[in-house]
Amino acid sequence: MQTETIIYIILAGITALFLALFQYYTKKKSMSRLSMLFSFLRFLSIFSMLLLLINPKFEQVKLSVEKPNLVVAIDNSSSIKHLNQDKQVLNLVERLSNDDHLNDKFNIDLYTFGASFKASDSITFSGNQTNINHAFKQLSQIYRQTTAPTLLISDGNQTYGDDYQFATSTYKQNIYPVILGDTVTYTDLKIQQLNVNKYAYLKNRFPVETILVYNGNSTINSRFLVTRGHTTVYSESIRLSKENNSKVLNFTLPANGVGVSSYKATIVPIDNEKNKINNSKNFAVEVIDQKTKIAIVSDFLHPDLGALKKSIESNEQRSVEFFNSKDIINKINDFQLVIINQPNYKFKELFKVLEKENKNCFTIIGTKTDLNFLNNNKLDFLSEITNQTETYQAELNTGYAPFIVDNIDFESFPPLNSNYGSVSFTTPFESILNKRINGISTNEPLLVTFETNGRREGALFGENIWQWRAQSYTNNKSFNPFDDFIGKLVQYLASSKRKDRLNVDYESFYNASSHIIIKAEFFDKNYVFDSRETLNISVTDNISEENKTFPLILKNNNFQVDLSSLPPSEYSFTVKATHANVAKSGSFQILEYHVEQQFLNANVTKLQQLATNSKGKSYFIDNTKDLVNDLLNDNRYASIQKSNKNIIPLIDWKYLLIIIALSLGLEWFIRKYNGLI
């Protein structure tokens, strides 16, 4: 407390005492007990009120002891059970959790990881994928500013994600890997990798690449087979040795029928091979009749053109060709969709041909677009001409009806350059994205689709969409979300099918280790998304003829169902609306492939290197007797005593108000009781 404040308090006490004595002091030799009581109560009231006016501040110091955290991250994937390490892991976790000395020194936090990461002590060893690096990324956010030595209980076998060996660059904690699995090297022959395109074209041959790997000391002979059903479609003899322990096979297979074709690649096991699951791998190819051909028409170069081509051709079903406004005229019927980039008066003949042939098109309007020409030749919308430009960010319209649009974080995308001014439509339209300026929605369309005279059209009122593709990669470390969005848009615009009230989004085939999500949208008779409807999916196993029904759950702007629990097989399904007489059917396959069962040993090298990089120590699951003592005796993990100093103003002390109220009330009551009022 400052000296000035103390002086004020002393003066307040003197003032309060003077006023109290002035009111109750008499010239008698001695004051009565009643007058002394009144003087004291009055002094207390006045002094308390003066203290409130001065409002001195007091320092309150609290001491607390903060224990370090002990993070226990447990691999919850099915490979742990496959390596027969599940019981040992459960025993170790129980021993650590119940150790009194550890609990005295640390706050023990349990986490499990596989494909996802979560705080949990429920260990099931049922995960179909493992991403160890993702677990470290999550932990780095939780324990950024605390001391948290980390026990990583894992076999070190990661099925996808960035290499966790270098996670110490972001996760600044000491890591103690507990290595699960056998370290003995067994003789093993396996299919390391199989590469094949997702689509093939009818009456063509599609390429297949297979990488075979052998671990062993002797020379072996085997045979590689590819079968479709009970028919062998490819076969080759294989000879491998300790020196030549890998082989890459490249071959082609015929695509003879439209639809999904399933194959099984197998390398015949050798004698006494311990793990035979990794000797075979299923794959599938969807055979399509023809490509969807898209023409991009522009009279000048722009980065958007290359970005669109990359996104569209990421799906092998589609191909893109570039033209200027003149060369496309005589070839327009070769394409299902024409994308027009920033048209001007040179496109006059093209617009006439598009109108005559009733051809689907998609128009990009940017800062170089001739709006006068467009207003005179486009009958569907009119743009206000202000000769000014503006940058607009995107906002997803969750009520968009024609097809399912996933939110790929459009609001994080850079703004597009566009012409300033409103756009009016002369035909009904559906807005996928709306414009936002400085975070404020304008309800003006940025990306729209519409139908006129049986043809589908779209319009994007902005340029530099190539920056969106780059931002999508920054957000997701992959171009796939943006490419899928453009693919759905192109698929819709290139098709002439009528609008459906029920749309279902699914793949033709899935791997058993992946998430199997089927999405659906339902619209009322006015094609407005109807979230009140109840959708169910009836799934039939075409082999066992077993039928199961699942409800679709409303999530964001669509209905979803997770069918990851279904075993590998061929399935047909029907999605049906409960109240409306609307249904849609389809089929898909789940390919048998257990990525977590491809491993024979723990990845000892990476786990030990991880311990070295983080200044920790590695242990084998069979030899963890020193683990607890090492943690308890490590001086880096001492408890920290912290002091918190709080400045508390007197006005926050509620008891002072109670004292004022009691002293004034008691004085009044006593005076009233003695007839002095």
Side-chain angles (χ1 to χ4, degrees):
M1 191 181 299
Q2 295 180 354
T3 304
E4 184 180 357
T5 303
I6 296 175
I7 294 174
Y8 284 148
I9 293 174
I10 295 173
L11 291 176
I14 295 172
T15 302
L17 181 63
F18 174 78
L19 291 175
L21 293 175
F22 175 77
Q23 290 180 322
Y24 288 103
Y25 177 76
T26 60
K27 294 183 179 180
K28 296 179 180 180
K29 292 183 179 180
S30 61
M31 295 177 64
S32 65
R33 291 183 178 180
L34 195 61
S35 296
M36 293 175 66
L37 177 60
F38 287 149
S39 298
F40 172 73
L41 292 174
R42 182 58 57 90
F43 165 78
L44 194 62
S45 300
I46 296 173
F47 182 64
S48 298
M49 287 185 284
L50 290 175
L51 280 180
L52 285 178
L53 293 175
I54 298 170
N55 192 24
K57 295 178 176 59
F58 301 92
E59 292 184 357
Q60 184 183 48
V61 179
K62 290 184 178 180
L63 298 177
S64 62
V65 177
E66 185 177 286
K67 295 191 294 185
N69 299 291
L70 178 61
V71 178
V72 182
I74 307 153
D75 192 336
N76 199 34
S77 62
S78 59
S79 65
I80 306 303
K81 184 177 289 187
H82 178 65
L83 296 174
N84 297 319
Q85 300 294 314
D86 49 327
K87 292 182 180 179
Q88 289 180 282
V89 172
L90 294 174
N91 292 335
L92 175 61
V93 172
E94 184 179 4
R95 181 159 60 89
L96 294 173
S97 301
N98 297 329
D99 190 289
D100 293 334
H101 297 292
L102 275 181
N103 282 282
D104 289 341
K105 183 170 183 177
F106 297 98
N107 295 316
I108 301 178
D109 299 329
L110 298 180
Y111 297 90
T112 59
F113 64 89
S116 60
F117 173 84
K118 58 184 177 181
S120 173
D121 56 0
S122 176
I123 310 171
T124 60
F125 304 110
S126 59
N128 292 326
Q129 298 272 14
T130 306
N131 189 343
I132 301 175
N133 190 68
H134 176 68
F136 284 128
K137 284 184 178 180
Q138 297 298 312
L139 289 172
S140 66
Q141 298 296 321
I142 301 172
Y143 300 101
R144 184 182 296 273
Q145 296 179 343
T146 60
T147 300
T150 302
L151 299 184
L152 177 68
I153 306 175
S154 174
D155 58 7
N157 293 315
Q158 180 171 276
T159 58
Y160 76 103
D162 297 333
D163 193 343
Y164 67 87
Q165 183 177 341
F166 307 103
T168 52
S169 61
T170 55
Y171 188 55
K172 305 297 184 181
Q173 304 290 350
N174 305 114
I175 302 173
Y176 296 81
V178 178
I179 304 171
L180 309 176
D182 202 339
T183 59
V184 178
T185 302
Y186 294 96
T187 300
D188 185 42
L189 181 62
K190 66 179 178 178
I191 299 176
Q192 178 73 24
Q193 190 168 338
L194 193 149
N195 301 318
V196 63
N197 290 334
K198 190 174 182 180
Y199 301 97
Y201 301 101
L202 186 63
K203 298 180 181 180
N204 285 346
R205 299 183 69 87
F206 60 91
V208 181
E209 181 183 64
T210 306
I211 303 174
L212 307 177
V213 174
Y214 166 67
N215 291 323
N217 296 319
S218 60
T219 300
I220 58 101
N221 293 298
S222 184
R223 193 162 192 82
F224 176 77
L225 306 171
V226 177
T227 57
R228 182 182 180 188
H230 299 290
T231 304
T232 300
V233 296
Y234 182 81
S235 175
E236 184 174 341
S237 297
I238 304 297
R239 183 180 179 85
L240 296 169
S241 63
K242 182 178 181 180
E243 293 75 20
N244 299 313
N245 60 357
S246 65
K247 188 175 182 64
V248 179
L249 302 181
N250 289 284
F251 55 93
T252 60
L253 297 176
N256 295 325
V258 175
V260 177
S261 298
S262 299
Y263 300 87
K264 184 175 184 178
T266 304
I267 180 73
V268 177
I270 57 179
D271 295 336
N272 301 321
E273 189 170 353
K274 183 177 180 180
N275 186 5
K276 298 181 181 180
I277 295 176
N278 58 14
N279 287 67
S280 62
K281 185 172 290 188
N282 293 283
F283 66 97
V285 173
E286 184 176 358
V287 180
I288 56 180
D289 197 0
Q290 61 179 0
K291 278 189 175 183
T292 300
K293 299 179 68 176
I294 294 101
I296 297 180
V297 185
S298 179
D299 277 350
F300 62 92
L301 298 177
H302 195 283
D304 285 352
L305 308 181
L308 287 172
K309 179 178 173 64
K310 286 285 188 181
S311 294
I312 295 170
E313 290 188 341
S314 64
N315 187 326
E316 293 90 346
Q317 296 184 76
R318 307 184 183 103
S319 63
V320 173
E321 292 185 37
F322 290 108
F323 296 92
N324 59 35
S325 56
K326 293 182 179 179
D327 294 341
I328 184 63
I329 300 298
N330 296 325
K331 299 180 181 179
I332 199 167
N333 287 322
D334 296 339
F335 301 93
Q336 286 77 44
L337 176 66
V338 178
I339 299 177
I340 302 172
N341 180 56
Q342 304 205 42
N344 52 37
Y345 70 94
K346 296 180 181 179
F347 287 71
K348 184 175 183 180
E349 186 65 25
L350 175 58
F351 278 110
K352 289 182 179 179
V353 175
L354 290 172
E355 185 73 23
K356 179 181 177 181
E357 299 294 336
N358 207 34
K359 184 67 65 176
N360 296 355
C361 70
F362 178 59
T363 307
I364 300 174
I365 296 136
T367 57
K368 295 182 180 179
T369 304
D370 188 340
L371 296 181
N372 285 308
F373 164 78
L374 204 59
N375 287 342
N376 292 330
N377 289 272
K378 266 282 190 186
L379 302 179
D380 306 311
F381 56 85
L382 295 173
S383 300
E384 181 183 2
I385 301 175
T386 61
N387 295 323
Q388 296 181 16
T389 61
E390 182 60 89
T391 55
Y392 296 101
Q393 286 184 296
E395 179 183 56
L396 178 63
N397 173 24
T398 57
Y400 180 74
F403 59 88
I404 296 175
V405 179
D406 295 323
N407 189 353
I408 57 174
D409 200 10
F410 289 103
E411 294 185 2
S412 71
F413 289 177
L416 300 183
N417 290 340
S418 182
N419 298 287
Y420 180 77
S422 61
V423 180
S424 59
F425 284 81
T426 58
T427 188
F429 70 96
E430 298 267 8
S431 176
I432 302 176
L433 301 173
N434 291 325
K435 295 178 179 178
R436 295 171 72 243
I437 300 179
N438 298 325
I440 301 173
S441 178
T442 64
N443 291 322
E444 287 283 332
L446 180 64
L447 175 62
V448 300
T449 61
F450 48 92
E451 296 186 23
T452 55
N453 300 323
R455 68 169 177 167
R456 291 179 174 176
E457 295 190 57
L460 173 65
F461 298 96
E463 61 179 281
N464 292 335
I465 197 173
W466 66 271
Q467 296 181 356
W468 286 11
R469 191 168 190 262
Q471 185 63 44
S472 177
Y473 184 86
T474 301
N475 294 346
N476 306 284
K477 305 303 179 186
S478 171
F479 293 114
N480 290 340
F482 178 80
D483 291 347
D484 290 344
F485 167 69
I486 294 297
K488 288 183 178 181
L489 176 63
V490 168
Q491 180 181 4
Y492 170 76
L493 292 175
S495 173
S496 298
K497 291 172 58 179
R498 63 184 297 272
K499 188 185 296 185
D500 295 323
R501 290 181 59 190
L502 179 61
N503 296 324
V504 182
D505 185 16
Y506 66 99
E507 300 288 339
S508 299
F509 56 88
Y510 303 88
N511 285 320
S513 58
S514 63
H515 290 294
I516 304 171
I517 306 295
I518 293 182
K519 301 179 181 179
E521 283 185 325
F522 179 79
F523 306 97
D524 60 22
K525 293 182 180 180
N526 295 320
Y527 293 99
V528 176
F529 181 75
D530 188 355
S531 61
R532 299 169 298 176
E533 184 57 84
T534 301
L535 299 182
N536 293 298
I537 181 170
S538 177
V539 183
T540 302
D541 189 325
N542 296 337
I543 298 176
S544 66
E545 297 185 355
E546 182 181 1
N547 182 270
K548 294 182 179 180
T549 300
F550 304 89
L552 276 79
I553 308 302
L554 180 64
K555 187 176 181 180
N556 298 327
N557 62 330
N558 55 62
F559 296 88
Q560 297 184 11
V561 62
D562 189 345
L563 301 179
S564 302
S565 61
L566 294 177
S569 186
E570 298 179 9
Y571 294 92
S572 58
F573 70 87
T574 300
V575 177
K576 188 174 183 180
T578 302
H579 303 103
N581 187 24
V582 179
K584 181 162 285 191
S585 300
S587 62
F588 61 89
Q589 291 185 21
I590 301 178
L591 305 178
E592 186 171 6
Y593 177 62
H594 302 286
V595 66
E596 290 289 340
Q597 296 180 11
Q598 304 298 307
F599 307 105
L600 271 174
N601 306 95
N603 197 331
V604 178
T605 303
K606 277 193 176 183
L607 290 175
Q608 290 179 338
Q609 186 62 47
L610 180 67
T612 302
N613 293 343
S614 65
K615 298 180 181 180
K617 185 179 179 181
S618 61
Y619 304 84
F620 288 97
I621 187 65
D622 296 326
N623 188 21
T624 57
K625 59 183 180 181
D626 296 330
L627 172 60
V628 173
N629 289 331
D630 289 345
L631 290 171
L632 293 175
N633 297 326
D634 197 319
N635 295 327
R636 292 177 295 180
Y637 313 133
S639 298
I640 301 173
Q641 186 181 65
K642 290 188 175 182
S643 62
N644 295 321
K645 183 171 70 174
N646 296 326
I647 306 299
I648 304 174
L650 186 66
I651 199 170
D652 290 340
W653 195 51
K654 59 184 177 181
Y655 297 107
L656 189 61
L657 297 176
I658 296 174
I659 292 173
I660 294 173
L662 285 176
S663 60
L664 290 174
L666 189 61
E667 181 183 354
W668 179 88
F669 179 79
I670 296 173
R671 288 171 60 86
K672 183 73 173 179
Y673 181 80
N674 288 277
L676 299 177
I677 296 179

